[in-house]
Amino acid sequence: MSHHHSHNHGHGHCYGEGDDGHDHSNDITPALQSLLYSQIQFDSITTLNEATPKSGAAIVKKTYAERQNDEPELESDADEQLLMYIPFTGQVNVHSILIYTAPTPSAPKTLKLFKNRDDLDFSTASELKPTQTIEVPRPIPGTDVFEIPLNRAHWNATTSLSLFFEDNWSDGEEDVTNVGYIGLKGQFLALNREPVSFLYEAAANPNDHVAIPGVSGIGGRIMPGQ
């Protein structure tokens, strides 16, 4: 996925010049190591109040190398608020959220995050206590993606993440919010969970039926002939 970016996306976007070429070669590998990109169910992402259908899913689907591309971009419609639902293919621990926005007053400010809620609308998102609230830093010209660490204790065994962009940096003057890229970092759990617990249970079963004092003292092995 990542080897094509240096050729296909250098058509006039703001990141095509300068020293950014060094950033890709030095930083892209560690940045990708813990991205939850392949664990996101892109087809099931929903975004309320998006001006262009599927644009919310499109900015999550951008690769890390494409994070500063002008298009696609998520833009709010009726007012400055956006509500995005991102489901995962299994359980993940979310460590941080990556956000890139152009340096304008329409960049998002207050972001409320909800864990494992697939039933939110704007009224419930406004009333419910979020799992965590973060303030997205105000971007200035020349800034790259913001990586905002989350409180890891709140984000274990996450199957979906809802992002409620409540306001932007215009202090109420701009009723359009724009977001260019969203990425998520963390650990994916589902692949090694079930086989491990199954093997433990299978291995424990023979011992369950043998009530010999001291068996556990020799490592739980059943000696021949017993």
Side-chain angles (χ1 to χ4, degrees):
M1 287 292 288
S2 60
H3 62 275
H4 65 284
H5 64 266
S6 58
H7 304 292
N8 294 351
H9 301 290
H11 33 254
H13 292 311
C14 57
Y15 75 102
E17 303 86 31
D19 59 359
D20 191 66
H22 301 298
D23 291 347
H24 284 344
S25 58
N26 295 338
D27 299 342
I28 194 160
T29 306
L32 292 177
Q33 277 174 351
S34 57
L35 276 179
L36 294 169
Y37 191 86
S38 59
Q39 282 77 47
I40 294 172
Q41 295 189 48
F42 296 107
D43 292 341
S44 300
I45 293 175
T46 58
T47 309
L48 302 183
N49 198 39
E50 57 182 0
T52 304
K54 295 291 182 184
S55 56
I59 68 162
V60 180
K61 211 165 186 175
K62 277 184 179 178
T63 65
Y64 185 79
E66 297 166 336
R67 64 195 182 280
Q68 293 184 334
N69 286 11
D70 298 338
E71 299 290 338
E73 185 176 51
L74 171 60
E75 183 172 288
S76 66
D77 188 16
D79 56 26
E80 76 277 17
Q81 296 189 338
L82 289 159
L83 182 58
M84 180 184 290
Y85 168 73
I86 303 177
F88 300 104
T89 59
Q91 289 190 354
V92 300
N93 293 344
V94 189
H95 296 165
S96 62
I97 182 167
L98 284 66
I99 297 179
Y100 176 79
T101 59
T104 70
S106 62
K109 182 180 182 182
T110 307
L111 173 56
K112 294 183 175 178
L113 303 172
F114 297 85
K115 172 182 171 180
N116 301 351
R117 295 292 300 245
D118 60 0
D119 57 345
L120 295 180
D121 55 27
F122 283 107
S123 61
T124 51
S126 301
E127 295 164 7
L128 285 173
K129 184 178 187 296
T131 310
Q132 187 171 351
T133 301
I134 57 179
E135 181 172 293
V136 183
R138 183 169 192 162
I140 58 174
T143 52
D144 198 343
V145 63
F146 290 122
E147 179 172 2
I148 304 166
L150 301 183
N151 184 335
R152 296 190 182 190
H154 295 334
W155 296 101
N156 293 329
T158 302
T159 54
S160 71
L161 179 65
S162 296
L163 297 81
F164 176 36
F165 293 95
E166 193 168 40
D167 55 18
N168 58 30
W169 279 100
S170 72
D171 295 325
E173 297 177 15
E174 179 65 66
D175 61 1
V176 172
T177 295
N178 294 92
V179 188
Y181 166 82
I182 292 175
L184 297 163
K185 279 189 180 183
Q187 291 175 305
F188 186 48
L189 305 174
L191 290 179
N192 59 10
R193 268 291 173 86
E194 291 172 9
V196 169
S197 60
F198 172 76
L199 290 173
Y200 281 143
E201 289 166 17
N205 280 343
N207 293 352
D208 291 344
H209 308 296
V210 183
I212 303 174
V215 163
S216 60
I218 53 170
R221 294 195 183 96
I222 308 301
M223 303 306 290
Q226 291 182 332

